């Protein structure tokens, strides 16, 4: 697939529901007593993996509409061992959360995933769950993961890496503990979708800035949940609209949870003009409409403390840095090496291939901004949805366009991505930026 240079991005758009909330909602609904209804569900390969896991353990999941699922749960401790491996596909959140969810069940479960998910580090989840009494074994740190349900007890656990997936797995296991609270302490706060969902479900939690505790429950009531738009799916469009002169883009109904929307702060420092308006709350989450216009950018630095709030947007920060006056530096982001690909390497390779001056660091990257469009070239998505979308946005802001090898992996988080981009791009004088 080739993405041609564009003059600007114009129009109004909306994005599918937050991927991580869609996954969390389906997995928790699978353990509720009765039928839950989830609207604004973000359809994507990764959220289909959550549905597949829910079905594998005995929940009845009905596709009630393009953005609606109904889940008839099995009851808190009634997950049914399917007698065959449960496939989590490419979805790290699904595999990690399922570990917490299955640890307190009865019977034996095995979690498998695709090549990328298999290779990712999973001891980070198994270790704290073992401290709670879980019987869980990884395959030399990787998948398959084997879990035999057991009695669990509460722990207080300090996360060695900032990871909402690990935090969430522990908190979900805490629902099954013989007492409470099960507490997770984190130095740099990560996204709190699980905590917010627990609150809307009436689960007792206690939060401070750096910790969250959860008390066990007897049962989970079925629930209704509306899910707002996914910030990480809006982010590539925000980046394109900031870069392409003359752009005027409105994005409606985006989740602007402060622990997710760190890119807005970074862009603010870089001089971008993004209006955040119509602020409201949907499903316990902050939501707003965004209006984005193109602006010349100045370089910035993103350091460790800020990383969890924009971890999935760091590839786009590198691209934005390529157009900013000065040198943009991302450090303290070694977690990028544990994502769907080693994103320090894949981002560096992708952007270098299109003519960006980028250098990999052990824990991030450094990008020298140039006040002109990069040439363009060929980007290998390497099966990583964020790299495919990065390549496409780089294509719109390039002189000659970007050919993407393996573009279809964008569907892991955003199946309609290329069609939406094609609807919004305006052709014209592509030399100007
Ligand atoms: C996610 C958390 C992040 C993020 C991933 C989704 C979640 O991973 O990169 O795409 O839904 O909790 P870590 O928490 O492991 O950093």
């Amino acid at each position: 697939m080739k993405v041609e240079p564009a003059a600007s991005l114009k129009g109004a758009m909306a994005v599918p529901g937050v991927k991580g909330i869609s996954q969390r909602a389906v997995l928790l609904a699978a353990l509720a007593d009765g039928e839950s209804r989830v609207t604004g569900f973000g359809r994507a390969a990764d959220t289909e993996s959550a549905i597949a896991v829910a079905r594998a353990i005995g929940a009845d999941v009905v596709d009630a509409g393009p953005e609606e699922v109904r889940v008839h749960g099995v009851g808190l401790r009634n997950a049914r061992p399917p007698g065959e491996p449960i496939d989590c596909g490419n979805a790290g959140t699904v595999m990690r959360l399922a570990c917490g969810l299955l640890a307190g069940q009865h019977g034996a479960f095995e979690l498998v995933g695709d090549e990328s998910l298999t290779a990712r580090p999973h001891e980070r989840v198994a270790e704290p769950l073992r401290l709670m009494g879980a019987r869980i074994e990884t395959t030399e740190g990787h998948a398959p993961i084997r879990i035999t349900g057991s009695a669990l007890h509460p722990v207080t656990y300090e996360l060695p890496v900032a990871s909402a997936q690990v935090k969430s797995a522990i908190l979900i296991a805490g629902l099954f503990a013989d007492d409470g609270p099960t507490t997770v302490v984190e130095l740099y706060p990560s996204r709190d979708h699980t905590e917010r969902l627990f609150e809307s479900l009436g689960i007792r939690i206690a939060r401070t800035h750096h910790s969250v505790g959860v008390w066990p429950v007897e049962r989970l009531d079925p629930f209704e949940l509306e899910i707002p738009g996914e910030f990480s799916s809006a982010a590539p469009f925000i980046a394109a609209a900031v870069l392409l002169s003359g752009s005027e883009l409105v994005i409606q109904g985006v989740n602007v949870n402060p622990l997710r929307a760190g890119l807005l702060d970074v862009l603010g420092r870089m001089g971008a003009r993004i209006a955040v308006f119509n602020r409201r709350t949907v499903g316990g989450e902050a939501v707003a409409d965004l209006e984005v216009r193109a602006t010349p950018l100045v370089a910035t630095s993103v350091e460790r403390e800020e990383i969890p709030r924009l971890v999935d947007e760091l590839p786009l920060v590198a691209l934005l840095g390529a157009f900013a006056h000065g040198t943009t530096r991302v450090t303290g982001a070694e977690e990028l090496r544990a994502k769907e690909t080693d994103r320090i390497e894949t981002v560096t390779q992708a952007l270098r291939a299109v003519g960006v001056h980028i250098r990999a660091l052990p824990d991030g990257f450094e990008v020298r901004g140039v006040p002109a469009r990069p040439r363009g070239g060929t980007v290998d998505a390497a099966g990583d949805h964020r790299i495919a979308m990065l390549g496409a946005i780089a294509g719109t802001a390039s002189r000659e366009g970007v050919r993407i090898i393996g573009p279809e992996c964008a569907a892991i988080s955003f199946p309609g991505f290329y069609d939406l981009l094609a609807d919004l791009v305006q052709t014209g004088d592509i030399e100007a930026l």
Side-chain angles (χ1 to χ4, degrees):
M1 168 184 287
K2 177 140 187 238
V3 176
E4 299 292 345
S8 63
L9 227 62
K10 284 203 169 124
M13 59 172 275
V15 285
V18 179
K19 180 174 78 143
I21 303 179
S22 300
Q23 294 166 324
R24 284 163 171 80
V26 165
L27 292 174
L28 287 175
L31 299 188
D33 280 327
E35 188 177 88
S36 299
R37 180 164 164 261
V38 182
T39 54
F41 184 81
R43 296 260 176 218
D46 264 6
T47 57
E48 292 300 332
S49 293
I51 292 178
V53 170
R55 286 187 175 136
I57 60 174
D60 183 21
V61 185
V62 177
D63 290 322
E67 296 186 349
E68 180 175 334
V69 293
R70 287 171 193 248
V71 183
H72 201 97
V74 292
L76 187 66
R77 293 175 190 270
N78 295 336
R80 189 188 64 202
E84 59 182 16
I86 302 176
D87 190 0
C88 301
N90 188 249
T93 303
V94 172
M95 183 172 269
R96 270 81 181 256
L97 268 56
C99 289
L101 192 130
L102 297 174
Q105 303 291 332
H106 305 286
F109 303 85
E110 184 180 6
L111 297 171
V112 298
D114 71 5
E115 201 182 321
S116 150
L117 183 55
T118 298
R120 292 174 69 180
H122 298 300
E123 265 305 309
R124 52 174 58 193
V125 189
E127 198 183 290
L129 294 180
R130 251 179 242 128
L131 296 175
M132 297 179 72
R135 290 163 64 195
I136 175 167
E137 292 305 327
T138 63
T139 306
E140 288 169 11
H142 307 287
I145 304 175
R146 292 183 189 83
I147 302 161
T148 306
S150 59
L152 301 180
H153 39 263
V155 290
T156 294
Y157 188 77
E158 189 172 331
L159 289 180
V161 288
S163 166
Q165 293 180 350
V166 177
K167 174 176 65 173
S168 300
I170 299 167
L171 294 177
I172 291 173
L175 299 177
F176 303 96
D178 53 16
D179 200 357
T182 295
T183 302
V184 179
V185 179
E186 48 182 1
L187 192 52
Y188 304 118
S190 63
R191 65 189 69 188
D192 60 355
H193 295 319
T194 302
E195 295 89 312
R196 287 173 182 276
L197 190 53
F198 278 6
E199 271 166 353
S200 353
L201 268 53
I203 295 169
R204 181 178 170 203
I205 66 169
R207 295 183 69 176
T208 69
H209 190 51
H210 288 287
S211 75
V212 50
V214 64
W215 275 260
V217 293
E218 290 295 317
R219 63 192 293 271
L220 278 180
D221 287 326
F223 55 90
E224 298 224 344
L225 185 73
E226 185 183 344
I227 300 178
E230 167 65 63
F231 186 84
S232 293
S233 298
F237 294 89
I238 296 173
V242 165
L243 292 178
L244 302 174
S245 67
S247 293
E248 286 172 27
L249 183 68
V250 172
I251 312 179
Q252 286 148 348
V254 186
N255 179 215
V256 287
N257 180 328
L259 295 173
R260 288 297 306 278
L263 179 68
L264 296 180
D265 299 335
V266 171
L267 276 169
R269 294 205 296 274
M270 296 178 89
R273 289 183 300 158
I274 300 176
V276 181
F277 60 106
N278 274 343
R279 282 188 180 270
R280 53 213 190 259
T281 302
V282 173
E285 291 273 348
V287 176
D289 299 339
L290 309 178
E291 189 180 62
V292 191
R293 288 166 192 272
T295 350
L297 299 177
V298 292
T300 191
S301 290
V302 181
E303 293 171 12
R304 186 175 301 279
E305 189 174 348
E306 202 172 15
I307 299 296
R309 302 199 292 117
L310 75 165
V311 64
D312 295 333
E313 282 63 69
L314 292 173
L316 292 168
V317 171
L319 176 66
L320 290 159
F323 296 83
H325 183 72
T327 297
T328 293
R329 215 168 275 110
V330 173
T331 54
E334 53 280 283
E335 263 302 287
L336 285 178
R337 298 197 184 275
K339 296 295 175 190
E340 286 84 330
T341 55
D342 174 342
R343 285 191 184 147
I344 292 180
E345 290 309 319
T346 48
V347 167
T348 303
Q349 278 165 22
L351 292 185
R352 228 182 238 162
V354 304
V356 169
H357 301 277
I358 179 168
R359 186 164 78 87
L361 305 174
D363 61 345
F365 23 68
E366 195 173 80
V367 187
R368 187 157 58 81
V370 173
R373 289 178 177 247
R375 182 191 64 250
T378 299
V379 165
D380 184 351
D384 186 333
H385 54 133
R386 305 252 176 253
I387 304 300
M389 293 190 272
L390 174 72
I393 301 305
T396 65
S398 68
R399 287 200 309 275
E400 294 174 9
V402 168
R403 203 167 70 83
I404 303 167
I405 302 173
E408 63 284 344
C409 63
I412 287 169
S413 62
F414 194 171
F417 171 76
Y418 299 106
D419 288 345
L420 184 56
L421 186 62
D423 283 350
L424 296 166
V425 293
Q426 312 290 313
T427 50
D429 178 10
I430 65 124
E431 283 308 315
L433 253 184

